[in-house]
């Protein structure tokens, strides 16, 4: 049997969803009207500048509707929770468990925009509640249970909102517990958070990468690594990638060549071409197509390599 706080939290979420759905419908109708008005103005041969200015103003009003409704909603009384406003109810939550539960109900509905005041409440979480969040973070694992998934997403959302470096090791650790091809939603949520954090978490990711045994898992961890590196290019990062490419064989070598392309440093042409030239006897036409595409993508030339392989690349190009 659900307790009173759970009941009220569910009502808050349902009421918010209902309000936002109405707002988005209203916004959609306004957008349709704006499109029709734009077509009408074009027929009336108004100046292009006037047409665009009116259209932009109308679309801005359209986008403002959900924002305005979010702010109005949180100040309006809800009879089913004793006449409290959402702000008053959120203010009344003292338990970190109850706060996580409320956020999890929003996560279960795949809500991207949470109530403004709830976000503010999260930012003001007291330090005495942080151990609970550390423990909750350490327990996150892939699961098929929808309620547990929502709780996991709630903990991750709260930690992202807080933005405290003390949670970075715990976030990285989760990647070690997501088997390849399992629970992609959890993987992408965690890796996206790590990419948003950026360089401050990179050394932790590199350390995790070095400790992993599975090449599949390494490939997964390498995705946020590459994304962070390419936004913060340095000789150190390029040398790290080049060294991984040099020491890897088989399919994983192709994947690391692709990572060098994602990183986007033309110096990688020398490394990839050098490998192809040295090992051309062991590289199939199919694999060469991959390396060839990567070299071209990095601005390199391949005419000298094409002659080693039994394919008419002129026809393909």
């Amino acid at each position: 049997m659900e307790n009173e706080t759970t009941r009220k939290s569910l009502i808050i979420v349902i009421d918010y969803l209902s309000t936002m759905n109405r707002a988005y419908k209203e916004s959609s109708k306004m957008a349709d009207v704006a499109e029709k008005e734009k077509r009408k103005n074009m027929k009336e041969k108004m100046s292009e500048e006037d047409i665009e200015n009116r259209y932009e103003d109308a679309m801005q009003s359209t986008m403002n509707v959900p924002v305005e409704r979010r702010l109005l909603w949180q100040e309006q009384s809800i009879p089913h929770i004793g006449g409290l406003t959402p702000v008053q109810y959120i203010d009344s939550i003292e338990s970190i468990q109850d706060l996580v539960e409320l956020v999890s109900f929003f996560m279960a509905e795949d809500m991207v925009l949470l109530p403004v005041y709830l976000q503010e409440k999260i930012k003001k979480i007291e330090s005495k509640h942080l151990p609970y969040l550390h423990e909750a973070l350490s327990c996150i694992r892939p699961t098929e249970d929808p309620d547990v998934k929502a709780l996991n997403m709630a903990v991750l959302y709260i930690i992202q909102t807080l933005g405290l470096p003390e949670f970075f090791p715990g976030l990285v650790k989760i990647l070690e517990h997501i088997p390849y091809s399992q629970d992609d939603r959890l993987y992408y949520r965690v890796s996206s958070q790590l990419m948003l954090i950026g360089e401050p978490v990179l050394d932790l990711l590199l350390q995790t990468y070095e400790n992993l045994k599975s090449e599949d898992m390494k490939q997964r961890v390498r995705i946020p690594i590459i994304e962070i590196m390419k936004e913060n290019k340095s000789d150190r990062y390029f040398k790290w990638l080049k060294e991984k490419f040099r020491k890897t064989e088989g399919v994983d070598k192709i994947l690391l060549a692709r990572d060098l392309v994602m990183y986007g440093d033309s110096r990688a042409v020398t490394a990839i071409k050098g490998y192809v030239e040295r090992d051309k006897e062991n590289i199939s036409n199919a694999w060469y197509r991959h390396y060839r595409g990567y070299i071209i993508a990095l601005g390199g030339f391949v005419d000298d390599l094409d002659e080693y392989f039994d394919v008419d690349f002129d026809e393909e190009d």
Side-chain angles (χ1 to χ4, degrees):
M1 182 177 177
E2 65 187 23
N3 63 35
E4 185 65 9
T5 300
T6 298
R7 184 188 71 82
K8 289 180 178 179
S9 289
L10 284 168
I11 290 171
I12 283 282
V13 173
I14 292 168
D15 198 77
Y16 182 75
L17 284 171
S18 176
T19 298
M20 295 309 295
N21 283 336
R22 289 195 300 272
Y24 287 127
K25 284 180 182 177
E26 182 181 343
S27 180
S28 179
K29 287 180 181 177
M30 290 173 66
D32 289 341
V33 170
E35 290 289 349
K36 290 176 183 176
E37 188 68 22
K38 182 178 182 180
R39 289 195 292 272
K40 177 186 172 186
N41 292 336
M42 289 172 70
K43 287 179 181 178
E44 293 177 357
K45 297 184 178 180
M46 290 177 59
S47 74
E48 187 174 331
E49 184 179 357
D50 284 344
I51 291 172
E52 287 304 318
N53 286 340
R54 290 191 182 193
Y55 181 69
E56 286 176 13
D57 288 344
M59 292 306 293
Q60 186 60 55
S61 297
T62 296
M63 290 185 285
N64 286 342
V65 171
V67 177
E68 292 167 356
R69 295 296 183 276
R70 283 173 75 208
L71 295 173
L72 284 172
W73 170 82
Q74 62 187 23
E75 300 291 350
Q76 293 174 343
S77 156
I78 300 176
H80 296 296
I81 59 170
L84 294 175
T85 67
V87 165
Q88 289 170 331
Y89 175 69
I90 293 168
D91 259 342
S92 74
I93 296 176
E94 296 182 356
S95 160
I96 185 64
Q97 291 90 339
D98 289 340
L99 185 62
V100 171
E101 180 184 60
L102 174 58
V103 175
S104 77
F105 293 154
F106 283 104
M107 296 295 109
E109 300 295 336
D110 291 325
M111 289 298 297
V112 178
L113 290 174
L114 269 61
V116 175
Y117 197 76
L118 179 55
Q119 295 175 6
E120 294 303 315
K121 175 82 170 183
I122 291 169
K123 292 174 184 176
K124 296 174 184 175
I125 286 176
E126 296 178 33
S127 59
K128 67 181 180 182
H129 296 309
L130 298 185
Y132 172 83
L133 292 174
H134 276 290
E135 178 64 23
L137 183 64
S138 71
C139 293
I140 291 178
R141 297 290 185 276
T143 177
E144 294 303 317
D145 186 319
D147 293 335
V148 177
K149 279 187 177 183
L151 283 169
N152 287 345
M153 293 299 130
V155 171
L156 290 171
Y157 179 90
I158 290 169
I159 285 171
Q160 180 178 358
T161 303
L162 289 171
L164 298 175
E166 65 185 81
F167 290 108
F168 295 172
L171 280 170
V172 173
K173 194 74 176 172
I174 294 173
L175 292 183
E176 298 179 29
H177 300 292
I178 310 177
Y180 191 71
S181 78
Q182 186 176 345
D183 204 341
D184 281 343
R185 186 185 178 201
L186 177 60
Y187 166 74
Y188 285 116
R189 179 58 193 254
V190 173
S191 59
S192 295
Q193 270 184 241
L194 293 169
M195 286 185 268
L196 283 171
I197 294 167
E199 268 197 302
V201 81
L202 187 53
D203 283 338
L204 288 168
L205 280 167
L206 293 175
Q207 183 180 344
T208 297
Y209 181 90
E210 299 296 349
N211 292 336
L212 289 170
K213 304 299 181 186
S214 162
E215 289 301 325
D216 285 339
M217 290 298 292
K218 282 188 172 185
Q219 182 186 338
R220 279 199 142 194
V221 173
R222 215 163 54 234
I223 291 173
I225 288 175
I226 303 302
E227 289 297 324
I228 294 170
M229 283 183 170
K230 77 178 187 181
E231 295 299 322
N232 303 275
K233 287 185 172 66
S234 72
D235 284 343
R236 176 196 169 203
Y237 299 156
F238 175 70
K239 287 175 183 176
W240 186 89
L241 279 170
K242 188 175 72 171
E243 187 68 7
K244 296 305 172 191
F245 171 75
R246 190 179 68 79
K247 290 184 175 180
T248 308
E249 299 299 333
V251 175
D252 293 314
K253 200 171 194 77
I254 291 177
L255 294 174
L256 272 153
R258 179 201 63 188
D259 292 343
L260 282 166
V261 174
M262 288 175 62
Y263 180 77
D265 190 318
S266 60
R267 289 179 294 175
V269 168
T270 303
I272 299 173
K273 284 191 72 171
Y275 163 70
V276 173
E277 286 174 331
R278 287 192 306 273
D279 211 37
K280 54 185 176 290
E281 301 300 328
N282 300 313
I283 297 175
S284 67
N285 288 331
W287 281 21
Y288 174 59
R289 283 192 182 91
H290 289 287
Y291 290 122
R292 184 179 190 272
Y294 297 150
I295 292 167
I296 292 171
L298 287 165
F301 297 97
V302 292
D303 291 349
D304 54 335
L305 296 179
D306 286 352
E307 64 187 52
Y308 298 126
F309 297 91
D310 187 22
V311 177
D312 188 348
F313 291 107
D314 287 335
E315 288 186 8
E316 293 188 3
D317 294 343

